[in-house]
């Protein structure tokens, strides 16, 4: 029972931490334009350029290619394209590592789905009379095993690369080794409990079912260690830079590709106006302490400092 | 074999950190392909060297003058820290706070940006010109002196940079060894922008903080 409570507690901490992370970045003030071209949602400009360069752009409706933007973003997330083309050796470890993590999420989702099926009195397994249940069974099996194998390979590779490649080693702190070792232990104990205790993931499905029904779960020793490690790591993750997947949404959509026009009366203008009314606490050759940002600009436009 | 410059060297090395080696620079295309024709970097006079801080690479881009006594040095460090705190505040740096925080908190230190940086590659791979070098130093200074991680946590997170006049002077100079071309940002899979960190680094030393 304590394992179920630990799982719920860590899951709650993770969700709270995730919300805190998202809120932290989302609530930061609107920033000045800092987009980097090509912007993926620009129509017909794959090599750069902007609608802002077109004559009288403000008279025409703005065209946004959401499909193009999603394609570029998903291609990067699913295949790690940037690493593939610029650093193939690093990609050969970093990609399996992340693919292992993605598949781990798929595995957990499949376990939840399998538990719901079992709760409805249907049997999960390769001999189920229903094709879709067989599909859930096999996806669970394949995603779980693939996640553990790829994860172990990728994490060991990254640990070796980080400790042996001088360019990486000089920038790697003890916390980075700690994080990688933690993830390695999760993948490794997962692989071991699959081999030794739970080859068809029936016990794992049973544990997931217990999470939904609060029945006493039946778990093996290695599986218990794996669940404990996974839960503790999940609770620790939001407070580390391992949450860079949250940041990636903001760096791409709110910085790199944010070419929102500043039109009169629109939301962006209102946000900017609020910022421009703040006073500055610093000075430079072009900025006076105590004046608002708007005043600084007006003074410059009127030809001198007041 | 010559020891590679490390992050903590920025506060530890006495004298000039590196010298720009003409032979290590990338070869120019014809008709400028003969290294003998290259003028190299003009050396400062001894008198100039006593006046300006050239301890990074023998060049002074911002004309920083050295503090004359311990008091001046402490005041210099205090002002830098005040500026650094304001750089991270919503009121004083709203213009770029969101991208700055995203870049400071999420770098995976994979060095994918290094090969995209023309200053780093054309210098023959001088460690101090690596896009992550100055960013990582600023990040570690912030962790240790602004976020005030304890001694133990600082060691664990690697935030073990000693903050003194020399560190700041070199970091400020280093901010001007970047052309802000943002090729590093373009090549970063996470979207971390070392160019932006460099720009804020320069702001920190150029602004007068009240």
């Amino acid at each position: 029972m304590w394992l179920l409570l630990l799982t719920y507690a860590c899951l709650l901490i993770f969700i709270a931490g995730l919300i805190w992370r998202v809120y932290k970045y989302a609530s930061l003030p609107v920033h000045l334009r800092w987009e980097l071209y090509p912007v993926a949602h620009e129509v017909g400009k794959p090599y750069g350029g902007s609608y802002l360069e077109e004559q009288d752009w403000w008279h025409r409706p703005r065209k946004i290619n959401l499909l193009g933007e999603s394609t570029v973003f998903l291609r990067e997330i699913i295949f790690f394209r940037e690493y593939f083309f610029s650093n193939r050796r690093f990609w050969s470890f970093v990609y399996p590592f992340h693919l292992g993590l993605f598949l781990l999420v798929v595995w957990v989702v499949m376990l939840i789905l399998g538990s719901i099926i079992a709760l409805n009195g249907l049997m999960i397994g390769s001999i189920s009379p229903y094709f879709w249940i067989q599909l859930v069974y096999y996806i669970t099996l394949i995603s779980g095993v693939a996640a553990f194998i790829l994860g172990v390979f990728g994490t060991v590779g990254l640990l070796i690369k980080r400790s042996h490649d001088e360019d990486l080693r000089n920038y790697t702190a003890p916390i980075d080794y700690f994080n990688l070792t933690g993830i390695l232990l999760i993948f490794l104990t997962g692989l071991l409990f699959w081999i030794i205790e739970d080859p068809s993931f029936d016990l794992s499905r049973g544990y997931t079912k217990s999470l939904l029904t609060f029945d006493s779960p039946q778990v093996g020793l290695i599986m218990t260690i794996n669940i404990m490690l996974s839960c503790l790591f999940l609770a620790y993750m939001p407070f580390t830079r391992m949450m860079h997947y949250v940041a990636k949404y903001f760096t791409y959509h709110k910085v790199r590709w944010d070419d929102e026009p500043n039109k009169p009366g629109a939301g962006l203008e209102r946000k900017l106006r609020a910022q421009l009314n703040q006073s500055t606490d610093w000075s430079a050759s072009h900025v006076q302490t105590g004046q608002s940002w708007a005043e600084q600009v007006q003074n410059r436009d009127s030809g001198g400092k007041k | 074999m010559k020891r590679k410059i490390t992050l903590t060297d920025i506060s530890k090395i006495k004298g000039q950190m590196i010298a720009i080696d003409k032979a290590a620079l990338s070869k120019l295309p014809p008709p400028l392909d003969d290294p003998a024709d290259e003028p190299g970097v003009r050396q400062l006079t001894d008198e100039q060297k006593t006046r300006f801080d050239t301890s990074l690479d023998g060049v002074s881009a911002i004309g920083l003058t050295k503090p004359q006594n311990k008091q001046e040095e402490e005041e210099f460090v205090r002002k830098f820290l005040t500026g650094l705190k304001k750089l991270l505040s919503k009121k004083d740096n709203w213009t770029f706070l969101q991208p700055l925080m995203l870049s400071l908190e999420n770098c995976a230190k994979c060095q994918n940006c290094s090969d995209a940086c023309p200053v780093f590659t054309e210098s023959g791979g001088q460690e101090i010109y690596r896009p992550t070098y100055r960013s990582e130093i600023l990040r570690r200074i912030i962790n240790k002196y602004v976020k005030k991680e304890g001694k133990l946590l600082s060691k664990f997170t690697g935030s073990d940079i000693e903050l003194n006049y020399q560190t700041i002077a070199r970091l400020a100079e280093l901010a001007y060894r970047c052309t802000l071309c943002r090729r590093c940002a373009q090549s970063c899979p996470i979207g971390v922008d070392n160019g932006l960190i460099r720009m804020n680094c320069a702001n920190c030393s150029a602004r007068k903080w009240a």
Side-chain angles (χ1 to χ4, degrees):
Chain A
M1 208 59 171
W2 64 270
L3 204 56
L4 292 179
L5 289 173
L6 179 77
T7 309
Y8 268 113
C10 292
L11 200 61
L12 281 175
I13 296 172
F14 172 76
I15 293 167
L18 185 69
I19 294 169
W20 166 74
R21 252 302 146 135
V22 173
Y23 176 75
K24 181 180 156 183
Y25 291 137
S27 63
L28 288 171
V30 59
H31 58 83
L32 300 188
R33 303 197 76 93
W34 197 242
E35 65 267 37
L36 200 54
Y37 288 88
V39 168
H41 56 241
E42 275 282 358
V43 179
K45 295 183 175 69
Y47 306 108
S50 165
Y51 73 96
L52 295 163
E53 295 168 326
E54 289 165 10
Q55 202 177 6
D56 297 338
W57 60 265
W58 53 90
H59 288 314
R60 286 191 289 275
R62 191 173 162 220
K63 287 182 194 159
I64 295 176
N65 181 7
L66 278 179
L67 183 70
E69 181 177 300
S70 312
T71 310
V72 174
F73 198 58
L74 286 174
R75 204 170 52 190
E76 182 54 42
I77 290 173
I78 297 171
F79 301 110
F80 280 50
R81 199 172 173 269
E82 187 61 51
Y83 282 126
F84 183 80
F85 287 111
S86 56
N87 196 346
R88 194 71 55 89
R89 202 172 284 181
F90 195 67
W91 178 88
S92 59
F93 297 121
V94 88
Y95 185 57
F97 169 76
H98 283 88
L99 198 57
L101 292 170
F102 296 156
L103 289 170
L104 205 61
V105 176
V106 174
W107 180 66
V108 171
V109 171
M110 285 294 131
L111 286 178
I112 295 170
L113 204 62
S115 318
I116 295 169
I117 293 168
L119 277 172
N120 283 292
L122 294 166
M123 193 194 71
I124 302 269
S126 57
I127 52 161
S128 169
Y130 301 104
F131 171 72
W132 62 276
I133 292 183
Q134 284 185 23
L135 201 65
V136 170
Y137 173 79
Y138 281 116
I139 295 176
T140 312
L141 194 63
I142 293 166
S143 59
V145 176
F148 297 143
I149 293 171
L150 286 168
V152 169
F153 172 78
T155 321
V156 169
L158 282 179
L159 273 168
I160 293 171
K161 190 128 181 72
R162 281 221 170 262
S163 53
H164 283 73
D165 185 328
E166 207 179 12
D167 292 345
L168 294 171
R169 193 176 58 223
N170 282 345
Y171 293 76
T172 306
I175 191 172
D176 301 313
Y177 292 117
F178 174 82
N179 293 346
L180 279 173
T181 309
I183 297 173
L184 175 64
L185 287 174
I186 291 170
F187 281 129
L188 202 60
T189 51
L191 191 63
L192 286 175
F193 89 65
W194 169 67
I195 295 168
I196 299 166
E197 297 173 347
D198 192 16
S200 58
F201 291 130
D202 283 338
L203 282 180
S204 307
R205 219 171 349 259
Y207 182 76
T208 318
K209 204 173 113 190
S210 304
L211 279 171
L212 302 173
T213 58
F214 275 101
D215 292 335
S216 248
Q218 196 191 354
V219 284
L221 176 68
I222 309 173
M223 193 174 155
T224 308
I225 296 169
N226 177 267
I227 294 169
M228 270 174 58
L229 284 172
S230 307
C231 290
L232 293 173
F233 213 76
L234 201 65
Y236 160 72
M237 215 163 95
F239 311 100
T240 68
R241 69 176 169 76
M242 285 185 284
M243 294 298 275
H244 54 245
Y245 55 89
V246 172
K248 192 163 172 153
Y249 167 79
F250 288 97
T251 53
Y252 275 72
H253 297 281
K254 295 292 168 196
V255 183
R256 203 159 153 172
W257 296 339
D258 186 5
D259 59 352
E260 182 75 21
N262 183 17
K263 286 189 169 178
L268 183 59
E269 198 209 23
R270 277 198 300 276
K271 284 182 194 168
L272 280 168
R273 204 172 282 280
Q275 295 303 327
L276 289 172
N277 288 331
Q278 290 198 68
S279 61
T280 51
D281 264 0
W282 53 275
S283 65
S285 58
H286 60 300
V287 174
Q288 299 279 297
T289 311
Q291 290 186 341
S292 74
W293 288 76
E295 283 169 338
Q296 312 276 2
V297 178
Q298 279 159 9
N299 289 346
R300 278 177 69 84
D301 285 349
S302 63
K305 292 169 191 169
K306 283 182 185 168
Chain B
M1 205 179 111
K2 213 175 147 189
R3 186 180 77 89
K4 204 164 188 165
I5 296 264
T6 63
L7 292 162
T8 49
D9 283 343
I10 196 157
S11 54
K12 287 180 182 163
I13 289 182
K14 303 268 182 244
Q16 196 174 309
M17 270 185 101
I18 63 142
I20 298 164
D21 180 6
K22 214 169 86 168
L25 301 179
S26 276
K27 218 172 159 186
L28 292 170
L32 305 163
D33 53 339
D34 185 356
D37 291 343
E38 252 193 75
V41 179
R42 195 158 55 96
Q43 296 300 307
L44 295 176
T45 63
D46 288 341
E47 188 273 330
Q48 285 170 323
K49 280 184 181 172
T50 54
R51 271 197 295 139
F52 300 115
D53 196 297
T54 58
S55 63
L56 181 74
D57 52 9
V59 177
S60 173
I62 53 174
L64 197 66
T65 50
K66 296 173 186 173
Q68 296 305 304
N69 51 48
K70 191 85 188 148
Q71 221 172 2
E72 273 186 33
E73 193 177 327
E74 282 170 4
E75 182 63 5
F76 188 83
V77 174
R78 189 194 65 76
K79 278 185 176 166
F80 174 79
L81 274 177
T82 309
L84 207 52
K85 280 174 196 160
K86 294 195 173 186
L87 212 59
L88 301 172
S89 82
K90 284 184 182 178
K91 185 170 182 286
D92 293 298
N93 195 25
W94 65 268
T95 47
F96 284 108
L97 188 61
Q98 192 188 48
L100 178 67
M101 295 300 280
L102 288 164
S103 293
L104 281 173
E105 292 181 355
N106 295 287
C107 175
K109 290 167 266 182
C110 65
Q111 309 298 8
N112 207 45
C113 53
S114 299
D115 285 341
C117 175
V119 178
F120 175 67
T121 51
E122 300 307 293
S123 71
Q126 289 270 21
E127 192 60 27
I128 61 163
Y129 301 142
R130 193 187 282 279
T132 46
Y133 189 80
R134 71 179 78 80
S135 303
E136 189 57 21
I137 286 166
L138 190 73
R139 188 176 291 121
R140 291 183 182 203
I141 289 173
I142 289 170
N143 286 345
K144 189 174 175 183
Y145 296 93
V146 179
K147 293 186 181 170
K148 294 215 161 102
E149 288 180 345
K151 207 174 174 183
L152 207 64
L153 191 61
S154 277
K155 277 222 174 315
F156 188 52
T157 58
S159 310
D160 44 4
I161 304 283
E162 196 189 323
L163 189 62
N164 52 32
Y165 160 75
Q166 205 58 82
T167 313
I168 303 167
R170 284 169 175 160
L171 195 60
E173 265 302 322
L174 210 43
Y176 293 87
R177 304 295 185 274
C178 162
T179 62
L180 213 59
C181 70
R182 297 179 71 208
R183 277 174 60 94
C184 54
Q186 191 76 276
S187 71
C188 178
I190 297 172
V192 167
D193 193 335
N194 285 300
L196 181 95
I197 297 179
R198 159 261 182 262
M199 190 179 76
N200 278 272
C201 214
N203 282 348
C204 196
S205 44
R207 289 177 184 178
K208 294 182 185 75
W209 303 97

